[in-house]
């Protein structure tokens, strides 16, 4: 067991976005969360990563509660997320975007930096090489010098993935990483996600494309109107009558 | 090419007291140096973290008063007063940052303005300590002496010029090392996309407070130099005009670049003086304003980024 959400409730101005939602994300697997627009998927991500305080309920990661921690503290515990809306550092070069993602791996303190100690320079060199490696992994090596904001949409989404990977997640939360991509790009992203899982990273995925979700997931959680209406293996969920009526009917 | 250019510039700056024969011009260079330190300091916050301090003169003034008071009341040597000014201003930056940078943005702007206002009132009203609006005359010149061993005086203008040049170069180096490190990347990340920065583990409040401390300490250094140079400190050092001047220098020079604040500071110290030479006071202010508007209008990102773009395009045309 890796991540556990217990009876989580979130209200926006009296309207329930999440109502007593409980589920688990198992370590080393790909778990997907699906559901129609407005089901509460992004809201759940925001609570898990500390961007939103829930009204009730709690989040446990490897047995420890995450409640009350700030986003950066949750990242320190190895939980890293991407955002549904494209999110890069637009004026910064692509390679530096990934370097920013490497923040938690760096140790250099203020004094060492001002004195430009040798180990600071060595650390910079090691991390630059690492950033290049991560960029190559997502297939953006050729863009390294360009400002991130100048990249086409699909490539910005890949860069977001690279930034998140740089933060060395043990649990990676991806909020519609393939939205807005063409079919070829989507297939490529799913391939990347599989490889990320193979490296031992637990993946928690939100995605609308049913075909992709069913093909890649070990487990699927279905959210509808702020409630979990089904969860299980892709096959089981797909044939669940409640899911069929809610998910397909809800469109 | 770039190296040669920098070498020539360095040599020109080092030799300045020899080819700038008019002492008044040396005075202008010294003021340009002090403002360079201030602009570099403000740029660290405004340019790199995106946080606007509209009370930056407070840190400058705190540095000036710390140096002056320690020298006049406790007979501290100037170098010790300088170190204390850096530390006290840095501490003030820590305090202001701690109370305002959790919320940041507009809140930081308001807190820095109020802080400068309060400090100004203290300097005017705490007669016993600060001598009120009359100020503190007779601040000793900057001298470094080790009893019987050696003595170094920065009493003369050319000597003080070298002192300011040295401190400005140091401030530049601090900025350069900082912004190309993990700390500088955290600053830039917070400026460009705070949520994303936090999601990869950057503690926003901590890094913004750090930027405020380093920035305030640098402004304190400039204040100390100013006190020992003019030999007089009054509540005027806290005036909003100083802050506005710094903002103009940073924005016109190019915020978020290393050379921008230096270019801005030199340009906007020398320019008013050059105008004073050729016209009357009223025309001087008018021309100054017009030039400022033209800069903002035609070079919205500042002089340095505009030059960089121009050079890049020229190189692209002629490979
Ligand atoms: N900041 C907010 N303020 C008010 N209401 C919000 C806010 N964020 C989300 N909501 C509402 O909460 C509900 C859940 O939204 P959420 O973004 O979590 O859905 P989602 O499942 O991610 O949908 P989508 O598939 O469209 O991304 C929606 O009704 C939405 O309008
Ligand atoms: Mg969503």
């Amino acid at each position: 067991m890796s991540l556990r959400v217990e009876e989580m409730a979130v209200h926006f101005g009296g309207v329930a976005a999440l109502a007593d939602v409980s589920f688990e994300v198992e370590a080393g697997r790909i778990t997907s969360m699906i559901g129609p627009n407005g089901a509460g998927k992004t809201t759940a991500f925001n609570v898990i990563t500390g961007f939103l305080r829930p009204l009730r309920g709690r989040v446990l990661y490897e047995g420890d509660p995450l409640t009350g921690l700030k986003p950066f503290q949750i990242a320190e515990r190895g939980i890293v997320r991407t955002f549904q809306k494209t999110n890069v550092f637009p004026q910064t070069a692509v390679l530096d975007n990934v370097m920013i993602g490497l923040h938690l791996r760096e140790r250099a303190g203020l004094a060492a930096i001002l004195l430009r100690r040798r180990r600071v320079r060595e650390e910079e060199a090691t991390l630059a090489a690492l950033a290049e490696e991560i960029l190559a992994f997502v297939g953006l090596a050729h863009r390294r010098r360009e400002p991130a904001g100048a990249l086409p949409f699909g490539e910005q989404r890949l860069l977001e993935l690279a930034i998140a990977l740089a933060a060395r997640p043990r649990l990676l939360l991806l909020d519609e990483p393939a939205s807005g991509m063409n079919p070829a790009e989507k297939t490529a992203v799913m391939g990347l996600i599989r490889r990320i899982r193979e490296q031992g990273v637990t993946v928690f995925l939100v995605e609308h494309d049913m075909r992709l979700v069913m093909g890649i997931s070990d487990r699927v959680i279905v959210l509808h109107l702020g409630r979990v209406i089904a969860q299980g293996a892709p096959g089981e969920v797909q044939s669940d009558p409640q899911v069929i009526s809610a998910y397909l009917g809800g469109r | 090419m770039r190296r040669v250019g920098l070498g020539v510039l360095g040599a020109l700056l080092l030799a300045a007291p020899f080819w700038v024969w008019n002492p008044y011009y040396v005075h202008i260079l010294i003021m340009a140096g002090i403002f360079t330190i201030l602009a570099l300091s403000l740029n660290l916050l405004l340019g790199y973290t995106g946080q606007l301090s509209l009370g930056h003169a407070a840190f400058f003034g705190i540095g000036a008063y710390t140096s002056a008071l320690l020298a006049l009341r406790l007979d501290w040597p100037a170098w010790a007063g300088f170190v204390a000014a850096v530390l006290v201003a840095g501490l003030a930056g820590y305090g202001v940052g701690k109370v305002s940078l959790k919320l940041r943005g507009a809140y930081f702007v308001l807190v820095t303005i109020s802080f400068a206002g309060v400090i100004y009132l203290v300097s005017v009203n705490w007669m016993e300590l600060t001598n009120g609006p009359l100020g503190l005359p007779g601040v000793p010149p900057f001298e470094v002496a080790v009893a019987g061993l050696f003595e170094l005086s920065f009493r003369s203008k050319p000597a003080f010029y070298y002192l300011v040049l040295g401190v400005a170069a140091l401030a530049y180096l601090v900025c350069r090392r900082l912004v190309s490190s993990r700390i500088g990347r955290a600053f830039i990340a917070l400026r460009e996309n705070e949520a994303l920065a936090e999601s990869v583990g950057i503690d926003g409040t901590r890094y913004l407070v750090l930027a405020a401390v380093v920035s305030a300490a640098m402004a304190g250094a400039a204040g100390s130099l100013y006190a020992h140079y003019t030999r007089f400190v009054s509540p005027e050092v806290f005036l909003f005009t100083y802050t506005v001047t710094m903002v103009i220098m940073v924005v016109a020079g190019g915020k978020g670049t290393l050379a921008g604040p230096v270019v801005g500071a030199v340009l906007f110290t020398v320019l008013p003086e050059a105008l004073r030479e050729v016209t009357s006071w009223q025309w001087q202010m008018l021309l100054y304003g017009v030039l400022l508007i033209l800069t903002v209008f035609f070079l919205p990102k500042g002089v340095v980024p505009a030059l960089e773009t121009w050079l890049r395009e020229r190189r692209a045309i002629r490979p």
Side-chain angles (χ1 to χ4, degrees), chain A residues 41-43 84 175-176 206:
Chain A
K41 307 180 294 290
T42 300
T43 303
Q84 181 170 356
D175 199 348
E176 303 195 25
V206 164

Side-chain angles (χ1 to χ4, degrees), chain B residues 4-317:
Chain B
V4 174
L6 281 178
V8 170
L9 187 69
L12 275 177
L13 283 174
L14 277 175
F18 298 98
W19 57 268
V20 179
W21 52 92
N22 185 337
Y24 184 66
Y25 293 166
V26 179
H27 162 76
I28 294 170
L29 285 180
I30 289 171
M31 290 315 290
I34 289 175
F35 271 107
T36 298
I37 301 166
L38 286 172
L40 282 167
S41 138
L42 185 75
N43 185 45
L44 214 47
L45 271 175
L46 178 60
Y48 286 97
T49 72
Q51 300 294 320
L52 174 59
S53 162
L54 273 189
H56 223 57
F59 305 119
F60 172 70
I62 285 173
Y65 266 98
T66 304
S67 264
L69 286 171
L70 288 173
L72 290 170
R73 303 264 198 268
L74 300 176
D75 278 332
W76 279 34
W79 66 266
F82 177 82
V83 173
V86 169
L87 293 178
V88 173
L91 199 67
Y94 179 79
V96 170
K98 262 295 189 202
V99 301
S100 62
L101 285 168
K102 266 215 165 90
L103 296 166
R104 30 201 184 257
Y107 196 72
F108 180 68
V109 178
L110 290 180
V111 170
T112 49
I113 291 181
S114 322
F115 177 68
V118 168
I119 288 282
Y120 171 76
L121 288 179
V122 170
S123 73
V124 171
N125 291 305
W126 193 354
M127 293 294 289
E128 301 80 40
L129 184 72
T130 65
N131 206 23
L134 297 175
L136 298 165
V139 181
F142 208 104
E143 263 151 6
V144 184
V146 177
L149 266 178
F150 83 115
E151 215 183 280
L152 205 57
S153 170
F154 297 94
R155 186 190 281 263
S156 77
K157 278 201 168 62
F160 201 86
Y161 166 80
Y162 284 116
L163 181 65
V164 170
L165 188 65
V167 175
L170 197 65
Y172 181 84
L173 200 67
V174 165
C175 289
R176 198 174 83 175
R177 290 191 171 169
L178 216 51
V179 303
S180 62
S181 73
R182 72 185 289 246
I183 294 178
R185 281 194 291 275
F187 291 171
I188 294 169
L190 288 163
R191 178 191 74 196
E192 294 213 352
N193 192 335
E194 200 178 307
L196 184 58
E198 298 248 348
S199 80
V200 293
I202 293 171
D203 179 351
T205 309
R206 181 168 163 229
Y207 280 95
L208 294 180
V209 170
L210 179 67
V213 169
V214 177
S215 174
M218 243 182 232
S224 171
L225 290 178
Y226 178 81
H228 287 290
Y229 175 61
T230 60
R231 316 272 302 271
F232 172 70
V233 178
S234 78
E236 285 191 6
V237 291
F238 296 110
L239 286 187
F240 194 54
T241 338
Y242 276 105
T243 304
V244 172
T245 309
M246 290 180 225
V247 173
I248 288 173
M249 288 167 170
V250 170
V251 172
K255 67 176 168 19
T257 65
L258 279 169
V262 181
V263 171
V266 173
L267 216 58
F268 283 88
T269 318
V270 173
L271 203 69
E273 300 297 339
L275 291 176
R276 193 204 303 250
E277 297 269 293
V278 294
T279 64
S280 68
W281 181 80
Q282 294 91 331
W283 281 106
Q284 181 199 328
M285 294 316 282
L286 190 69
L287 276 173
Y288 183 84
V290 168
L291 273 170
L292 194 62
I293 291 168
L294 287 179
T295 314
V296 173
F297 199 76
F298 287 107
L299 313 169
K301 284 186 172 164
V303 175
V304 168
L307 270 179
E308 276 172 354
T309 314
W310 181 71
L311 278 177
R312 208 178 314 122
E313 278 167 6
R314 223 178 56 142
R315 219 170 288 150
I317 295 165

